[in-house]
Amino acid sequence: TRGGMNDNTMKIWDVRNISKGEPIQCLENMWNITSLCNVIQSPDKRLYITLCSNAKDEKIGKSSLCFIDKTSLNEITRVPISEKPINFVLWHPKINQLFVGGNDSNARVYYEDKPKSKNGVLLCAKRKYKKKHIDEQMKYFKIINPNALRVYKKHNQIL
């Protein structure tokens, strides 16, 4: 779990012994200034992934994606993402792509080049730009001929 707003910890619990009220491990320096931050597991169950979103982060200095080894419960790496807070991460197991969203109005997608990552954002990235035909572009324009308007015609042309 992640603590609430301004809590710099990530706690790992054993659900079988939750009544004790003490986590298995408590990781410090996992800065979080939003209460919406989540923690996920990788599809192969080897990593925990969470977000650290604070400009006061001592390691990076900006919002980052943190990878934690599940067996040793040590932080592996932090990947800097944005200057603004980020608060949601999702790893889709079938297409093997990592989605990250936050307060900077951007959605970021990380993927592996060849072996496992298929479809998803790659379908859009590989698609060629479709050129529009001139008829499709012209239907949005309203053409007004000022000489055809009733106001500009002479009295004898109206009758």
Side-chain angles (χ1 to χ4, degrees):
T1 60
R2 290 300 303 264
M5 202 159 121
N6 294 321
D7 183 15
N8 64 344
T9 62
M10 181 178 123
K11 296 177 180 130
I12 299 169
W13 301 84
D14 184 2
V15 180
R16 297 168 292 194
N17 297 327
I18 198 96
S19 60
K20 291 181 183 177
E22 292 185 22
I24 298 171
Q25 178 100 12
C26 184
L27 301 170
E28 297 288 330
N29 294 327
M30 302 295 244
W31 297 98
N32 184 19
I33 60 171
T34 62
S35 60
L36 303 172
C37 190
N38 67 335
V39 179
I40 62 167
Q41 273 189 330
S42 62
D44 58 1
K45 307 286 190 232
R46 292 186 304 151
L47 299 171
Y48 292 121
I49 299 112
T50 189
L51 302 162
C52 297
S53 55
N54 194 347
K56 297 176 186 173
D57 192 346
E58 297 162 358
K59 294 186 178 181
I60 301 291
K62 57 199 285 191
S63 296
S64 58
L65 192 61
C66 302
F67 293 90
I68 299 150
D69 186 28
K70 185 179 177 183
T71 54
S72 66
L73 299 177
N74 291 326
E75 184 178 328
I76 297 171
T77 187
R78 285 193 189 196
V79 179
I81 303 267
S82 172
E83 296 294 330
K84 293 188 177 180
I86 50 176
N87 49 18
F88 190 78
V89 62
L90 172 74
W91 193 331
H92 195 286
K94 188 173 181 183
I95 59 176
N96 197 32
Q97 293 176 1
L98 193 66
F99 299 89
V100 178
N103 293 350
D104 59 352
S105 300
N106 289 324
R108 293 167 179 83
V109 182
Y110 299 97
Y111 60 92
E112 194 175 1
D113 283 337
K114 296 275 181 189
K116 296 179 183 177
S117 191
K118 297 176 184 170
N119 298 335
V121 77
L122 296 177
L123 289 176
C124 300
K126 291 179 182 177
R127 188 175 295 157
K128 291 183 179 179
Y129 178 72
K130 183 180 175 184
K131 291 184 179 179
K132 291 185 178 179
H133 194 270
I134 190 71
D135 293 338
E136 292 177 10
Q137 293 178 0
M138 293 302 290
K139 69 182 178 183
Y140 298 110
F141 296 109
K142 189 173 183 182
I143 299 173
I144 299 174
N145 182 1
N147 295 332
L149 295 174
R150 207 174 160 92
V151 177
Y152 294 108
K153 289 187 178 183
K154 293 180 183 176
H155 182 66
N156 61 359
Q157 290 178 337
I158 295 174
L159 300 174

